[in-house]
Amino acid sequence: MANLPRFGLIGTGVWAQSVAMPAAAASSEVRFAALLGRNGKVVDALATPYGAQAFTGCDSFLDAVDIVGIAVPPAVQPSFARAAIARGKPVLLEKPVALNVGEAERMAEDLERAGLRSAVFFPTSTCQRLPTGSNR
């Protein structure tokens, strides 16, 4: 496990807690190493059960990881992504990657210049699927 890439997650919201953190912890391809959030007590409480380090500062967080997953609202996702890209970290983004095309294009250009890869997570609905013809 020590040789696996260190995966760090930015965000502590519902999606991060219910999907991203458990998926990172269950992965055989990465080690869930770090969690970044605004509230130190919340980050500590969420990171500890997974054996991940808790961070409230982006620079120290980026020093501790090899790959960055981002689970925050699209208004702030680009700034975190661009910081990670500038530090040479591949990023796992959520859709929408930005609130406007220009910001998304800047991220893509930064990735290309850095020679990094990224992926965009397109979740299917977590709601129960309704039968065809349902009017609910």
Side-chain angles (χ1 to χ4, degrees):
M1 189 154 188
N3 293 329
L4 293 175
R6 300 167 301 165
F7 179 81
L9 181 65
I10 299 173
T12 59
V14 173
W15 188 257
Q17 291 179 45
S18 62
V19 177
M21 288 181 218
S27 175
S28 61
E29 302 296 320
V30 297
R31 178 172 59 89
F32 183 21
L35 179 64
L36 173 65
R38 294 178 296 195
N39 182 316
K41 288 181 182 180
V42 170
V43 178
D44 282 337
L46 294 172
T48 299
Y50 293 107
Q53 287 183 274
F55 292 92
T56 56
C58 192
D59 286 337
S60 55
F61 166 82
L62 290 171
D63 287 339
V65 301
D66 302 308
I67 301 168
V68 176
I70 304 175
V72 297
V76 294
Q77 181 169 227
S79 62
F80 284 118
R82 294 184 80 200
I85 294 163
R87 297 282 295 274
K89 314 295 180 179
V91 291
L92 173 61
L93 305 167
E94 292 189 3
K95 68 141 183 105
V97 299
L99 292 180
N100 63 68
V101 173
E103 190 66 49
E105 287 174 341
R106 283 189 288 280
M107 281 191 293
E109 290 164 0
D110 289 349
L111 283 160
E112 188 172 335
R113 253 191 312 281
L116 294 171
R117 294 183 178 196
S118 69
V120 178
F121 186 62
F122 288 91
T124 57
S125 174
T126 55
C127 299
Q128 178 184 4
R129 295 195 183 269
L130 299 174
T132 303
S134 173
N135 59 4
R136 292 197 304 169

